[in-house]
Amino acid sequence: MNNFDFHNPTRILFGKGRIDDLDGQVPADAKVLILFGGGSAERTGVLANVRKALGDREVVEFSGIEPNPRYETAIKAVDVIAENGVTFILAVGGGSVIDAAKFIAAAAKYDGDAWDIFTSFGGVIKDALPFGTVLTLPATGSEMNTGSVITHLGKAAKLPFRSPHCAPVFSILDPELTYTLPDRQIANGVADAFVHVIEQYLTYPVGAPVQDGFSETLLRTLIDLGPKALETPKDYDIRASLMWTATLALNGLISAGVPQDWASHMIGHEITAFNDTDHARTLAVVLPSLMQDQREAKREKLLQYAANVWDIREGDDDARIDAAIKATVDFFHAMGIDTKLSDYNVGADDIDTIINALTDHGMTELGEHGKITPTVARRILEAAL
Amino acid sequence: MNNFDFHNPTRILFGKGRIDDLDGQVPADAKVLILFGGGSAERTGVLANVRKALGDREVVEFSGIEPNPRYETAIKAVDVIAENGVTFILAVGGGSVIDAAKFIAAAAKYDGDAWDIFTSFGGVIKDALPFGTVLTLPATGSEMNTGSVITHLGKAAKLPFRSPHCAPVFSILDPELTYTLPDRQIANGVADAFVHVIEQYLTYPVGAPVQDGFSETLLRTLIDLGPKALETPKDYDIRASLMWTATLALNGLISAGVPQDWASHMIGHEITAFNDTDHARTLAVVLPSLMQDQREAKREKLLQYAANVWDIREGDDDARIDAAIKATVDFFHAMGIDTKLSDYNVGADDIDTIINALTDHGMTELGEHGKITPTVARRILEAAL
């Protein structure tokens, strides 16, 4: 097992009716910026419950955070904070709104050009406004980690940063808030969480059975409950387990002490930057092709994945790996997610653009061995056409 | 799944050589009380490394914390803190030293009679000195939680408390520090962690596959690696996984959203208070007898335990439960731990004393259903003679 640090100070308030706890979590004298996306937070009544729970605290609202949150929008919220003397940000939404909140919280306390936050991958952040979240969409895990991904349309860039100053103080996870989500968003969330786990699990063995067992538990839960969540949207226990799974998939727990990959994410980000394809769907395209391409480097873990996640125990090594990759693709299809670039209007001629962007963003040595070069990434994309 | 709060702010620094990180974790201007047990911390060189890492910080040392840490000893450290203006406690040892540190940290900031901390189960604690830990014995999980158990010899009482003010600021977990531990302590640690998981797992189903899967992973890891740790004491990966397992067994993660039992612990504490039997060994006596006694109330989970932890899939329901209980006993025996009261000089005549103490301490409705009354506890002990 590798050495590691683990520190996750975010308080989770999980379950039915937990929005009522906001009053005890947000400082009584806070001036609050409520950050949200489109109209659904209003339509579903979540915002009304949030406003009620905040009582007579002074509140400013900022809406319009996009599904792939944009720098150009988020930077406007930084001005709103300065103009109104906001002291606490409350993000109400999914990973996009929470990712935006992290950037806004850091930028509000940063003196230079806020774009430095991305070019330094968060390194320039020395302080941030405190913020909490009310999660409405289980998917990214952003509610219990310090990472964020923002898209800059002007630069056609989708870039990550992280900072220990960007941990939510608290996150409210009420599974009932997910009952009204469209199937497409549930499916995306399940696929996103699934690939988060894979990025931290499907590398090479380092004698870490606890981390492996936890990852396999999360994967099996997603495989079992993902399709059921689409069939029976108001089954509380299913929604609850999916929500907790998505959080645990990216809160630092399963990555502690083990190698990590993240090549599927970095390549996928460039597809989204190229034509705004849903993040999760880019992962469902890249991952199976990457598994196939990297089957030698990942051989031991692919065999373990076949056995412990899919219960594939018949046939020789290569047959079991083939079956596990096929099962992965079938799972995405069962969630209603296509797995080829052509399904998302990306053709062979577009691969140059995507690979050039990857290179421009410094993503030239990806994967747990740093061996996914632009040449390998091109091969992976070409096999996914 | 039940509603839950999860908040665990302790920073874990895990791996080889991490004592060197103390300098970055303890405030530079701290006046430090180093708290430890007997001579092993000195003998193994751990204390020397700790002193070196603390540099020129002012340090006071307090040794002599017992394996079942005593109120009478710990309270003396509170005086040392007051006399020396100590601002930070560093616990170097296993769960006993860390449990003592929690009490001392709280008592140092408490104005009334420190015994109130126990009669209120920690409720009177409103502040505590900050403290960190250097863990030398994986077992209790105390290094990443807010609970503590202290023995008051004068009152023949072994009592728990917990407080959110009693979370370690950081804990250093270096698996190499466990290489020199006696077999007895490794065995006790494995058994203790095993029963910690069982207390949070073996209750009744609430639709929580993630928590169940995590618990089963921890149990399987202990079963697989526990005996190996005795055979090959310097296998780093084995010691590392055991150490991380023991921490995760009681850091709030696997209990989030599920029922908990803890009857084996509460009954076991009274056996230790009676004749100082090792904590873990009292658990190995009580648990199998409690499983047998509560087989109807725990039926569904016992069957799940048989299948997912022990891979017992043959025979009818009762046969599989019998096999799982037998496997549990065999596991304790494989760790060199006896499982009968008579092995620890407790006879039929002593049960009255133990049951009376349980009643005196208010432990009259134990277990996940509150149905382990003193009458049931007596039956469990009598079957364990």
Side-chain angles (χ1 to χ4, degrees), chain A residues 1 3-9 11-12 14-16 18 207 209-210 213-214 217 236-237 241 244-245 248 253, chain B residues 1 3-9 11-12 14-16 18 207 209-210 213-214 217 236-237 241 244-245 248 253:
Chain A
M1 196 189 303
N3 280 14
F4 66 85
D5 282 21
F6 178 81
H7 182 231
N8 194 321
R11 181 184 299 273
I12 299 295
F14 191 102
K16 299 177 185 182
R18 299 309 298 273
V210 173
F214 281 17
T217 294
Y236 180 81
D237 282 336
S241 281
W244 192 217
T245 295
L248 292 168
L253 180 68
Chain B
M1 197 190 302
N3 280 14
F4 66 86
D5 282 19
F6 178 82
H7 182 229
N8 195 319
R11 181 185 299 274
I12 298 295
F14 191 102
K16 300 178 185 181
R18 299 309 298 273
V210 172
F214 281 17
T217 294
Y236 181 81
D237 282 335
S241 281
W244 191 219
T245 295
L248 292 168
L253 180 68

Side-chain angles (χ1 to χ4, degrees), chain B residues 259-320:
Chain B
Q260 300 183 59
D261 182 341
W262 296 106
S264 294
H265 268 72
M266 295 306 127
I267 299 169
H269 285 171
E270 301 301 349
I271 301 173
T272 299
F274 173 70
N275 74 356
D276 222 23
T277 297
D278 293 0
H279 169 61
R281 285 160 203 257
T282 69
L283 301 176
V285 168
V286 178
L287 177 66
S289 184
L290 183 141
M291 282 176 164
Q292 191 60 260
D293 191 274
Q294 296 294 303
R295 63 189 291 148
E296 291 313 318
K298 292 182 183 290
R299 176 163 286 265
E300 283 184 83
K301 273 302 192 68
L302 277 166
L303 289 165
Q304 183 181 329
Y305 171 67
N308 294 353
V309 175
W310 293 105
D311 204 23
I312 294 167
R313 295 168 196 281
E314 305 290 313
D316 66 20
D317 286 4
D318 279 304
R320 297 204 304 283

Side-chain angles (χ1 to χ4, degrees), chain A residues 111-166:
Chain A
D111 281 338
D113 179 352
W115 185 246
D116 298 346
I117 289 172
F118 299 97
T119 52
S120 70
F121 296 102
V124 299
I125 300 171
K126 304 298 172 204
D127 193 10
L129 272 186
F131 68 98
T133 90
V134 176
L135 184 68
T136 59
L137 170 58
T140 73
S142 191
E143 64 278 7
M144 199 183 184
N145 67 38
T146 60
S148 167
V149 182
I150 301 287
T151 297
H152 194 304
L153 277 195
K155 300 178 197 278
K158 181 169 181 177
L159 290 176
F161 74 90
R162 70 178 53 242
S163 166
H165 301 284
C166 291

